[in-house]
Amino acid sequence: MAPTSTPRMQLFHLLVTDDIDPEGVELLRADDQFVINEQPTRPWKDLVDEIGQYDAFIGRSATRLPAELLKHASKLRVIGRAGVGIDNIDIAAATELGIAVINAPAGNTVAVAELFFGMLIAQVRHLARAFESMRAGRWDRGSLTGSELRGRTLGIVGLGRIGSEVAVRAHAFGMKLVSYDPYIPDERFELLRVERATSLDQLLGRVDVLTVHTPITDETRGLIGAAELAELKPGAIVANLARGGIIEEAALVAALKSGRLGGALIDVYGQEPAVADHPLRAIDDALLTPHLGASTAEGQRNVAVDVCIAVRDALKSGELSGAVNVDGTFGASWTEYRDAILLARRAAAVARALLADRQARAVDHVTLRVGRDLADGVGMLVAAAAMGVLEGVIEGERLNLVNAKARAEARGIALAAMTAVGPDPVHGVQVTVRSGGREVCVGGVASPGGTPRLTRIDSFSVDVAPRRTLIVLGNADVPGVIGRVGTLLGEAGVNIAEYHQARLTQGGEALAAITVDGPPDARLRQRLLALPDVRSATVVNFGDTEHGREPAWS
Ligand code: NAD
Ligand code: MLT
């Protein structure tokens, strides 16, 4: 019996830091493919000399990952962020370098919402002063009368995951709710029984408590400044448990000092850790916590487990459904997309190869048409098609689903996509590649549970699996061609896996799509072209591994 070779186990080296909860890390340690180096938080500059060893980085917000560090991360495929905020990572640089950034957006949502109410009640019931006075041996009952939340109006800026959990809990306290979030549909407001403010101004003058739960973006940096604070009712309380800078710190300090505000609840700061003499520290009505929003055992366990699973799946099987720098919303259906991704990539590679053999110039347009069941992942499928077109063309640069679109566009390739309507297969993928006015269309179907099939090359209907090596022959529809091609391949020791002969009209143009095992001899194409009635021959080597699987990362 011929000896069978087993694939060598690929090892992935991971740097884990920022005190990720052990339950997540254990999950990775239990897998022989992962070599974990767990370290305490270090300044990013200390990582420059070592980041190049790792396939993945997993951390929280304490470690910054700026472009200056990422450019040394030559092996890095994935950055896993145990938490939601990704403002410590240079996303543009990671994307350009083909590094997927995966966060864990949901696991600490409740922790933040609960802290908000903890702080709010502490503020309106003067709890900090009460604790302090008891410790000091006093009985300050008379001066510590507080107020209730019931009947007060809470203004929530940003009605996403955390804003929504805050809303749900605010109802339990009998609060009235108004929210400003231009990116959330009306139905969500209705479901949460929250009145919609159509502008920030519409909300500011009405609320007793204002809380922000947006990400920090160009739009939200300084969203609440001196002018907005001045719009608030006297005695209003403001809260920022989202990101430092959404409420301008200097303006907040001034408003608190003026006595107009009833207090501030602050968990996050423009610069963290907050400096020892931060002006907010000196203000009695500012209730401050050191970025504790997500710091519950449950929250940390959730985000650690979520991110470690996501990083594991990204490294081992190329799953990128949780990557913030990859287009598409995949939900739980990544396995369906995996085949469609392979099909888009290979269809594009076939189209590019056919154009190249027809002496076309560089590719200038790639258009993707997908069946309606693949519509959610169209962005990812465009990236796959861009990869297929560029593979073998660009060298020395990493190319993957994270950066393929940017790489293609940088080369002047216009990318477009559409979702098919009507009779197209619902799992169909069709790639049209154009070059200087000439174009080739290659399509197929990636039905769930089946093997992806190529079903169209140019105007010809075919049916072959795009695997190992595909030979596309153009020939005259005359007797004897198939026999001669078979004999030539047999004599060359090339085993045919599938042979699909197609024609448009009897005696006219014909096309054969032939898949063969293993990459054939480089001279095969010339020998095929020398056969009578063969007019064109294109050989596309898909580069599958010996065991029929494409590597998860290229
Ligand atoms: P999310 O993405 O679910 O929700 C954010 C919401 O903000 C979205 O609905 C979005 O439409 C809205 N938004 C964006 N720009 C806006 C604008 N200009 N005006 C109004 N609304 C806008 O995020 P999330 O998980 O709810 O997190 C919210 C914030 O909390 C983030 O900044 C996150 O980093 C932070 N966070 C802090 C802690 C902590 O420890 N304190 C923990 C977790 C999350
Ligand atoms: C988050 O973004 O998830 C929180 O701010 C907590 C953290 O920094 O880890």
Side-chain angles (χ1 to χ4, degrees):
M1 219 167 73
T4 53
S5 67
T6 42
R8 251 195 38 233
M9 187 169 71
Q10 187 181 4
L11 291 181
F12 297 108
H13 295 261
L14 279 73
L15 175 60
V16 179
T17 184
D18 295 344
D19 294 319
I20 297 297
D21 186 90
E23 203 167 310
V25 188
E26 282 317 313
L27 208 132
L28 297 172
R29 282 194 211 284
D31 191 318
D32 289 347
Q33 273 191 272
F34 297 117
V35 182
I36 315 271
N37 181 358
E38 195 171 3
Q39 296 186 5
T41 302
R42 289 193 291 158
W44 69 265
K45 286 189 177 154
D46 291 4
L47 298 173
V48 167
D49 292 335
E50 98 186 47
I51 194 78
Q53 307 164 22
Y54 300 108
D55 299 286
F57 169 95
I58 301 181
R60 292 181 61 193
S61 53
T63 304
R64 277 187 57 221
L65 299 168
E68 298 93 309
L69 174 63
L70 294 179
K71 71 181 182 201
H72 299 279
S74 50
K75 274 176 71 191
L76 205 68
R77 308 292 192 200
V78 187
I79 295 170
R81 164 73 170 89
V84 56
I86 44 171
D87 42 322
N88 56 319
I89 304 161
D90 189 324
I91 301 291
T95 307
E96 161 65 22
L97 293 164
I99 303 169
V101 178
I102 299 182
N103 66 349
N108 57 29
T109 299
V110 168
V112 183
E114 289 188 2
L115 180 67
F116 167 71
F117 284 101
M119 293 176 82
L120 182 57
I121 290 176
Q123 179 69 16
V124 296
R125 301 301 293 269
H126 313 301
L127 295 187
R129 274 164 52 205
F131 298 151
E132 201 185 285
S133 69
M134 289 299 282
R135 271 193 206 289
R138 298 197 305 272
W139 188 258
D140 289 345
R141 198 170 174 211
S143 63
L144 290 173
T145 302
S147 55
E148 293 181 8
L149 298 183
R150 186 177 46 168
R152 298 298 165 103
T153 301
L154 173 65
I156 304 174
V157 179
L159 197 60
R161 282 175 293 261
I162 296 171
S164 298
E165 293 294 342
V166 166
V168 167
R169 283 153 184 77
H171 280 302
F173 285 106
M175 298 184 86
K176 294 180 197 147
L177 289 172
V178 55
S179 171
Y180 170 64
D181 187 331
Y183 305 110
I184 295 285
D186 285 342
E187 298 78 62
R188 183 111 193 110
F189 283 79
E190 284 159 25
L191 190 76
L192 291 164
R193 292 181 291 131
V194 175
E195 183 187 331
R196 175 165 218 154
T198 52
S199 68
L200 191 57
D201 278 351
Q202 216 185 61
L203 170 147
L204 291 172
R206 297 177 47 196
V207 301
D208 301 296
V209 183
L210 174 74
T211 183
V212 293
H213 297 289
T214 68
I216 182 106
T217 63
D218 288 346
E219 208 180 71
T220 62
R221 190 168 286 104
L223 188 69
I224 309 294
E228 290 72 23
L229 292 170
E231 294 279 311
L232 292 171
K233 288 194 221 168
I237 293 171
V238 294
N240 185 1
L241 285 78
R243 279 295 180 264
I246 299 172
I247 300 181
E248 271 179 23
E249 285 179 358
L252 178 63
V253 169
L256 286 165
K257 279 187 175 163
S258 77
R260 268 204 78 248
L261 293 181
L265 319 174
I266 305 295
D267 185 47
V268 288
Y269 307 85
Q271 190 199 321
E272 294 189 7
V275 289
D277 59 351
H278 193 293
L280 279 172
R281 293 192 196 251
I283 296 178
D284 284 345
D285 281 331
L287 201 60
L288 309 181
T289 45
H291 201 146
L292 289 184
S295 297
T296 60
E298 297 86 343
Q300 284 312 305
R301 193 169 54 237
N302 292 343
V303 292
V305 169
D306 289 353
V307 83
C308 288
I309 289 175
V311 169
R312 179 195 68 192
D313 293 349
L315 289 174
K316 290 181 73 161
S317 59
E319 162 149 11
L320 293 178
S321 53
V324 297
N325 56 347
V326 168
D327 274 0
T329 49
F330 303 95
S333 59
W334 177 261
T335 42
E336 275 176 39
Y337 278 99
R338 198 175 43 208
D339 287 342
I341 287 166
L342 180 122
L343 183 60
R345 181 171 165 186
R346 294 191 172 184
V350 174
R352 183 200 29 94
L354 286 165
L355 276 171
D357 285 343
R358 292 171 195 175
Q359 316 302 321
R361 294 193 308 268
V363 169
D364 46 50
H365 282 80
V366 176
T367 307
L368 180 81
R369 183 181 163 107
V370 298
R372 61 176 184 275
D373 282 12
L374 296 173
D376 285 350
V378 72
M380 171 75 92
L381 296 174
V382 171
M387 255 179 103
V389 160
L390 294 176
E391 269 160 338
V393 175
I394 61 172
E395 272 175 35
E397 286 176 49
R398 183 185 286 176
L399 175 71
N400 58 31
L401 290 171
V402 179
N403 64 6
K405 286 206 282 195
R407 290 267 187 276
E409 280 160 2
R411 281 166 180 75
I413 301 175
L415 303 172
M418 63 185 93
T419 304
V421 284
D424 285 55
V426 292
H427 290 97
V429 171
Q430 190 174 294
V431 184
T432 304
V433 179
R434 265 186 29 211
S435 166
R438 307 169 81 164
E439 68 176 41
V440 171
C441 176
V442 178
V445 176
S447 302
T451 311
R453 309 285 294 174
L454 286 179
T455 55
R456 174 180 170 177
I457 298 177
D458 273 338
S459 309
F460 295 91
S461 294
V462 298
D463 185 12
V464 291
R467 61 176 287 282
R468 306 297 289 271
T469 301
L470 174 73
I471 301 169
V472 182
L473 290 185
N475 59 280
D477 180 38
V478 293
V481 179
I482 298 177
R484 283 194 287 275
V485 171
T487 304
L488 188 152
L489 292 176
E491 283 170 2
V494 176
N495 191 41
I496 297 174
E498 292 185 276
Y499 196 128
H500 191 112
Q501 185 67 47
R503 70 179 184 191
L504 297 179
T505 53
Q506 187 178 350
E509 288 298 312
L511 177 142
I514 311 162
T515 56
V516 301
D517 296 332
D521 188 289
R523 287 162 306 179
L524 183 76
R525 178 169 180 257
Q526 293 312 323
R527 294 173 61 198
L528 285 165
L529 283 170
L531 290 176
D533 301 310
V534 170
R535 291 168 182 168
S536 66
T538 295
V539 179
V540 189
N541 181 9
F542 293 121
D544 303 38
T545 62
E546 190 190 340
H547 299 272
R549 283 283 309 278
E550 192 171 64
W553 291 92
S554 48

